[in-house]
Amino acid sequence: MDSIKLNPADIPVGVVGIGLMGSSIIVALLSSGHIVKAIAPIFADLEGAKDRITQQLKACLQASLMKETVDACLDRLDISEDYNNLKTCSLVLECVIEDSKIKAQVYRRITDVVPANTVIASNTSAITITELQKLVTGPERFIGVHWAEPAYATRFMEITCGEETDKVYAEWAFNLAHHWRKEPTLLKKDTRGFITNRLMYAVYREIFSLIESGKTNMDDADKVFRYDVGSWITLMGLFRRIDYTGLKDQAVIFKNLFPQLSNSDKVPTVMQNIVEINGRGIQNLKGLYSYTDQEAKDWERAFFAFNEEILRLAARYPDPILDIEKALV
């Protein structure tokens, strides 16, 4: 890895795993100017991958999220099952299922062919980077690069160090992420779930607890988030919100409310029931809500359109503090 190189055109990137998330990441990289070597760990991953990536590139072009044509981007994409195609990559992103044994097999295939200084990263949101880097030859070059879906139309990114990570590699990825139109965080201390999942799953646990105790329902809970939290969180985040509303009142609320919050370590019953029937939400029309095929397609289109608007809205209201803290210590 050449720590000086930050021009995407000079940095070939490999992506292993070209499912829904992997395809979205490939589009983000192509639209940023990278040569992309996409690897399908299993043959089934190849089915429809090129068409899916093409359609997402067309959506990017229509939304003015890239400067090149779709064909120009596709000319820089190579999709195969051959890990040898990764030989020239400076960075390889792993996007396979959250199974350590499968990831270990993928890492062995990657490290067998890439140079010793190629950065290897996982998009995991569930397994610690410290745990995963033990599976990699040269663990110092292993990091977490956690994207949000859709990767090509969101500003979020978590870059995470494991205990053995050389910070040079993480800082290079952090700087490169700005060329992907991200506002990344650099987590120098590994923690399970990183930051975003720990925050969101604390919310999920509490709301499922309220639903199961009959104190609210899913529709009303979603309204609370859409029309309260959704009205300010993109602008100011959490801590500026506390400053804005007044710390004194917040302290009183913390003291009175914290003891009442759920600390359950059980999967909510309603969630477990859906998992047992292989419910995957809009992907197979079995979820917490019911969907028709058309409704599922409408939600996919609406989600992309909304993310496009949020991307532009956030750019109109940048953080007014110029010397912002770039890392969580």
Side-chain angles (χ1 to χ4, degrees), residues 6 23 38 43 89 97 124 131 151 155 161 180 241 245 317 319:
L6 287 174
S23 297
F43 181 77
C89 293
I97 65 173
T124 184
E131 180 179 341
R155 299 174 71 85
C161 299
W180 302 335
R241 175 67 172 179
T245 57
Y317 295 93
D319 193 323

Side-chain angles (χ1 to χ4, degrees), residues 178-220:
H178 290 85
H179 293 267
W180 302 335
R181 299 187 303 273
K182 303 304 177 187
E183 291 292 340
T185 57
L186 176 56
L187 311 183
K188 294 182 179 179
K189 292 186 178 180
D190 195 10
T191 181
R192 186 173 295 277
F194 315 132
I195 302 303
T196 184
N197 275 354
R198 291 180 76 92
L199 291 174
M200 284 309 305
Y201 280 87
V203 172
Y204 291 150
R205 177 170 65 182
E206 183 61 27
I207 197 56
F208 274 114
S209 174
L210 292 174
I211 290 170
E212 290 188 339
S213 64
K215 295 174 181 175
T216 190
N217 57 56
M218 286 187 293
D219 189 52
D220 285 346

Side-chain angles (χ1 to χ4, degrees), residues 2-57:
D2 186 343
S3 61
I4 303 300
K5 285 187 178 180
L6 287 174
N7 180 7
D10 299 329
I11 304 170
V13 179
V15 178
V16 181
I18 51 177
L20 181 65
M21 192 73 225
S23 297
S24 184
I25 291 171
I26 289 167
V27 171
L29 295 168
L30 289 172
S31 66
S32 300
H34 289 279
I35 294 171
V36 178
K37 306 291 186 178
I39 305 298
I42 56 176
F43 181 77
D45 281 359
L46 290 172
E47 185 178 358
K50 184 72 172 288
D51 289 341
R52 184 166 58 249
I53 291 167
T54 300
Q55 292 306 311
Q56 291 175 338
L57 283 169

Side-chain angles (χ1 to χ4, degrees), residues 229-237 310 313-314 317:
V229 178
S231 69
W232 53 263
I233 199 162
T234 299
L235 175 64
M236 60 179 63
I310 288 292
L313 182 64
Y317 295 93

Side-chain angles (χ1 to χ4, degrees), residues 1-156:
M1 190 243 352
D2 186 343
S3 61
I4 303 300
K5 285 187 178 180
L6 287 174
N7 180 7
D10 299 329
I11 304 170
V13 179
V15 178
V16 181
I18 51 177
L20 181 65
M21 192 73 225
S23 297
S24 184
I25 291 171
I26 289 167
V27 171
L29 295 168
L30 289 172
S31 66
S32 300
H34 289 279
I35 294 171
V36 178
K37 306 291 186 178
I39 305 298
I42 56 176
F43 181 77
D45 281 359
L46 290 172
E47 185 178 358
K50 184 72 172 288
D51 289 341
R52 184 166 58 249
I53 291 167
T54 300
Q55 292 306 311
Q56 291 175 338
L57 283 169
K58 288 179 179 179
C60 277
L61 185 63
Q62 185 176 1
S64 301
L65 296 179
M66 64 185 196
K67 298 178 181 179
E68 298 178 285
T69 66
V70 170
D71 286 342
C73 288
L74 290 174
D75 285 344
R76 296 196 308 277
L77 173 64
D78 183 5
I79 302 176
S80 77
E81 297 177 273
D82 188 358
Y83 281 78
N84 285 306
N85 284 3
L86 301 174
K87 284 181 178 179
T88 61
C89 293
S90 301
L91 169 66
V92 178
L93 299 163
E94 167 268 304
C95 305
V96 302
I97 65 173
E98 299 286 43
D99 184 314
S100 294
K101 292 182 180 179
I102 292 176
K103 289 182 186 292
Q105 295 172 12
V106 167
Y107 298 151
R108 282 195 294 273
R109 300 287 301 276
I110 294 171
T111 54
D112 280 347
V113 298
V114 301
N117 60 356
T118 293
V119 179
I120 301 173
S122 176
N123 183 54
T124 184
S125 60
I127 308 173
T128 66
I129 300 307
T130 298
E131 180 179 341
L132 290 178
Q133 69 184 174
K134 294 176 182 177
L135 308 175
V136 177
T137 303
E140 71 282 349
R141 41 88 175 259
F142 189 89
I143 59 176
V145 178
H146 182 204
W147 305 65
E149 174 66 21
Y152 51 85
T154 50
R155 299 174 71 85
F156 167 85

